[in-house]
Each structure stands twice: as C-alpha cells, then as structure tokens.
Amino acid sequence: MNKMRTLYRKKHEILISSIKKHLGDNVKVIGGKSGLHIVLEVNNGMTEGTLISNASKASVKVYPLSIYYDGENNEKSEVILGFGGLTLSEIEEGIGLLKEAWDI
C-alpha cells in the first residue's frame, strides 16, 4: 500500500507541476486532493465540448464534468483529468499536448 501511495503522490505532483508549467493561469485546478483525478476549469473561451474534442484530436482523453450536474446548466468550461493509469512521462507529455490543443 505504501508503495502505491508513493507512486500516486508522485504522479499527482508531476500532474500539478506540468499544469502550472504548460497551462499556467489559463486554468484552475479544482479538487487537487481528490484521488486519481482532478477537475480542470479552463479559461480560454472554449466550451466543454470543444475542449474534449480538441483534446481527443491530440490523442488525449479528458472527460466531461457536465454529466455530473444536477439539472443545472453550468457555463464554466470544466473537464476531468484522470492520471492513475499513466506513466510520469505520459502525464507530462499529455499536458503539453493539451496546451497545443487548447491554444493556451
């Protein structure tokens, strides 16, 4: 268990540092201590659907947060990023690809 905690903590640290390095103030991390995923609020003028579509074209999988809304229309552009199954280098590479895909 301790080995896995250490590994996931390292992945989380790489994810957060990569986001700061590549995406900077254009995004806000929500739920940064919520397990093996984070919610990313993206402030680049793209809708959630466009963020997901552009990420997919760059071969990066992100997930919609809107499926968890309780009938309310949320105007924020928020997506879910999971990192548990990725290597450290895949995390860094993926965030770099998102920077390009999202024109940040």
Side-chain angles (χ1 to χ4, degrees):
M1 288 291 280
N2 285 335
K3 183 178 179 179
M4 294 310 293
R5 279 191 203 114
T6 300
L7 174 63
Y8 290 133
R9 187 174 328 139
K10 181 67 175 170
K11 288 181 179 188
H12 181 266
E13 290 169 0
I14 293 294
L15 176 65
I16 298 301
S17 68
S18 295
I19 288 171
K20 288 178 182 177
K21 175 182 169 184
H22 293 289
L23 306 178
D25 293 334
N26 297 299
V27 299
K28 178 180 176 185
V29 175
I30 302 168
K33 299 195 186 296
S34 58
L36 301 177
H37 68 278
I38 62 164
V39 172
L40 199 63
E41 181 182 322
V42 184
N43 301 307
N44 67 350
M46 292 182 181
T47 65
E48 176 190 74
T50 303
L51 293 171
I52 293 167
S53 175
N54 287 6
S56 179
K57 290 174 188 172
S59 299
V60 179
K61 183 78 172 163
V62 298
Y63 303 91
L65 184 64
S66 63
I67 61 173
Y68 300 105
Y69 296 164
D70 187 21
E72 296 180 25
N73 185 12
N74 187 344
E75 298 297 320
K76 295 181 180 177
S77 296
E78 299 171 325
V79 294
I80 300 171
L81 302 179
F83 60 91
L86 301 173
T87 66
L88 299 176
S89 61
E90 287 173 332
I91 293 169
E92 178 80 28
E93 179 184 0
I95 298 300
L97 290 170
L98 289 178
K99 175 184 172 69
E100 294 175 23
W102 292 345
D103 295 324
I104 294 177

